[in-house]
Amino acid sequence: MNQILFRNFQLLEPASGELVGGHELLVEDDRVRELSATVIKSRDAAVIDCGGRTLMPGLIDCHVHVIHSEVNIRFMEAMPLTLLTARAATRLRAMLDRGFTTVRDTGGCDWGIKTAVEQGHLVGPRLFIAGQSIGPTGGHSDGRRRTDAVEGCTCCSGLAFKSAIADGTDAVRKAAREQMRQGADHVKIMMSGGVASPYDPLDSLQFSDGEVGAVVEEARAFGRYVCAHAYSAEAITRAVRLGVRSIEHGNLIDDAAAALMAQKGAYLVANLVAYQAMHERAAALGMSPESLEKNAIVLAAGLKSLEICARHGVPVAYGSDLLGELHWDQSREFMLRQEVMRPVDIIRSATTIAARLLRLEGQVGTLAPGAFADLILVDGDPLRDLSLLGGQGRHLAIIMRAGRFHKQSLH
């Protein structure tokens, strides 16, 4: 039994949304054992004096791509899985360095990388995976050249490894079952065109009612849920009407689609930083002019989508969706959302709302007793200055995941 006692901190429990002093927190092994407004007595605990800093739950990013280490996804065609995994290790460690103790991969990361993190072979956040994202021929999951008649080999091509192509209800059903057989925590499908894919218009509709219904049916039967890449209001409406639980991106949402999401209890996972970073740097990293044109459309609509969702009470979780070397901007999402959201609500998007989406209420995104001991100690008050959650973690004195210090810079 290993115990660590934290004292002299300002508590930020996102559900309450304010800093509270005078508490102590006891960690035992990988869990929070006790959180008290009175002195906690523990003879065997190592004591950490937090020096009045802010103690809060570790952050949760609900839309990452651990293996997408190229901005131009076609470059992954020439990447062996060994290099893909090595680059994933760099990305995973950097996420934890920034205070993200849990992440949800929305296509590409497999059970091998997840298990490597769980067993300590790779350093990174707790991972929830989709396996391969699934889309139709010519859709957002189809990265082939027009001269490619067949799909590549998943054993030797990073491009083929990251996603699956399926057409028709039987094939889509089988693809979903295969991802869950391979350990998927959720199933990712494509419902509209995308920025990074070369040939599909943003407003294209991908997967029919029957295909979407088959995936949702299989996910529910397996105790999982479906998340869907969707930009347009029409694609969002189709997905949510058929039982998709979370919409990824959603930049072109309208009031009617948002009202339906609220009615169905669906989540939006927004990622404004992806489009801003691509606007600024993706051309130099190999993104095509066609993709950059599509990026400009969704970039212009990002903040408006958050306003529409707020108007209808749609829960919005934190996401980054950064490809390649853009991943260093992960924490910048906090700052971009400030134009239309309160700091406390942005923090909740990366803690309490994200925990609900992951079906881990009381386990992550909180410091309540019984939760995983995932926490960060911030040099200041993030409710007043969200930039303290940026800077590649330089404002974080402590980062703890499951009761183990990833970073401890107090003396």
Side-chain angles (χ1 to χ4, degrees):
M1 181 178 68
N2 182 49
Q3 291 188 333
I4 302 171
L5 179 60
F6 293 88
R7 287 177 169 159
N8 188 20
F9 57 81
Q10 297 292 310
L11 174 68
L12 175 52
E13 180 61 43
S16 67
E18 59 183 2
L19 292 189
V20 180
H23 282 69
E24 297 191 357
L25 182 139
L26 180 64
V27 168
E28 183 173 291
D29 297 329
D30 66 341
R31 300 277 178 166
V32 175
R33 166 85 180 264
E34 187 177 353
L35 176 64
S36 176
T38 60
V39 174
I40 297 174
K41 295 181 180 179
S42 178
R43 182 182 303 173
D44 300 322
V47 177
I48 302 291
D49 186 328
C50 297
R53 297 173 176 83
T54 299
L55 190 70
M56 62 178 288
L59 304 171
I60 305 169
D61 190 332
C62 289
H63 193 122
V64 305
H65 291 291
V66 170
I67 71 163
H68 286 42
S69 55
E70 291 286 350
V71 171
N72 186 329
I73 59 173
R74 182 160 291 145
F75 293 170
M76 294 176 65
E77 187 177 28
M79 189 181 301
L81 302 192
T82 46
L83 178 57
L84 178 148
T85 304
R87 288 183 170 187
T90 299
R91 296 166 71 85
L92 285 164
R93 179 182 283 274
M95 291 178 194
L96 191 54
D97 288 344
R98 300 179 197 115
F100 289 92
T101 53
T102 298
V103 299
R104 183 181 71 143
D105 189 282
T106 52
C109 184
D110 75 336
W111 66 272
I113 291 178
K114 178 177 179 177
T115 302
V117 173
E118 291 173 348
Q119 295 182 352
H121 302 297
L122 295 177
V123 175
R126 184 176 291 101
L127 264 171
F128 294 88
I129 64 170
Q132 292 178 302
S133 55
I134 307 169
T137 296
H140 190 50
S141 280
D142 191 345
R144 295 174 299 165
R145 298 178 180 88
R146 283 184 168 140
T147 52
D148 293 336
V150 297
E151 297 177 51
C153 172
T154 59
C155 296
C156 52
S157 165
L159 182 63
F161 182 83
K162 74 175 184 61
S163 56
I165 301 172
D167 299 296
T169 56
D170 289 345
V172 171
R173 189 182 298 273
K174 182 177 180 180
R177 287 174 173 172
E178 178 62 22
Q179 300 318 308
M180 292 184 288
R181 185 184 79 85
Q182 293 284 346
D185 301 296
H186 47 273
V187 179
K188 167 75 173 295
I189 62 173
M190 304 306 185
M191 294 294 297
S192 76
V195 171
S197 45
Y199 307 126
D200 52 343
L202 282 175
D203 59 357
S204 63
L205 290 175
Q206 300 177 15
F207 280 150
S208 65
D209 281 21
E211 290 167 323
V212 177
V215 176
V216 170
E217 180 182 358
E218 292 302 324
R220 286 176 176 170
F222 213 81
R224 303 294 188 264
Y225 67 91
V226 179
C227 61
H229 165 104
Y231 282 114
S232 68
E234 189 176 5
I236 293 167
T237 298
R238 175 182 286 183
V240 174
R241 173 172 55 81
L242 293 166
V244 168
R245 187 160 183 265
S246 78
I247 297 297
E248 313 302 307
H249 317 302
N251 297 51
L252 306 178
I253 195 170
D254 63 13
D255 284 287
L260 181 63
M261 288 185 69
Q263 176 190 336
K264 296 287 189 178
Y267 291 77
L268 178 74
V269 182
N271 28 66
L272 308 187
V273 67
Y275 314 109
Q276 185 64 40
M278 284 191 285
H279 170 71
E280 294 167 352
R281 307 199 302 282
L285 294 168
M287 180 163 274
S288 70
E290 294 81 7
S291 288
L292 291 170
E293 287 178 12
K294 291 193 283 186
N295 184 68
I297 295 171
V298 294
L299 173 62
L303 289 172
K304 182 180 178 182
S305 71
L306 297 184
E307 293 176 321
I308 291 172
C309 286
R311 190 154 60 238
H312 294 277
V314 176
V316 179
Y318 190 100
S320 57
D321 189 31
L322 292 160
L323 308 178
E325 284 301 294
L326 302 178
H327 78 94
W328 301 105
D329 282 7
Q330 182 180 23
S331 304
R332 194 175 165 197
E333 181 79 8
F334 287 106
M335 303 303 295
L336 294 176
R337 293 191 186 190
Q338 279 192 117
E339 292 191 41
V340 295
M341 294 177 67
R342 298 183 305 160
V344 65
D345 292 326
I346 302 172
I347 289 172
R348 285 170 177 155
S349 76
T351 50
T352 53
I353 293 172
R356 293 204 304 270
L357 173 54
L358 292 172
R359 296 174 171 172
L360 287 174
E361 287 182 273
Q363 302 292 304
V364 296
T366 179
L367 294 178
F372 283 111
D374 296 351
L375 55 85
I376 57 177
L377 187 66
V378 187
D379 294 332
D381 180 1
L383 292 174
R384 294 182 177 274
D385 183 4
L386 280 173
S387 69
L388 295 171
L389 300 179
Q392 307 304 319
R394 70 172 175 266
H395 305 295
L396 307 181
I398 288 176
I399 302 169
M400 173 178 279
R401 177 186 176 274
R404 293 179 176 269
F405 287 113
H406 173 68
K407 177 181 180 182
Q408 213 292 54
S409 61
L410 298 181
H411 302 290

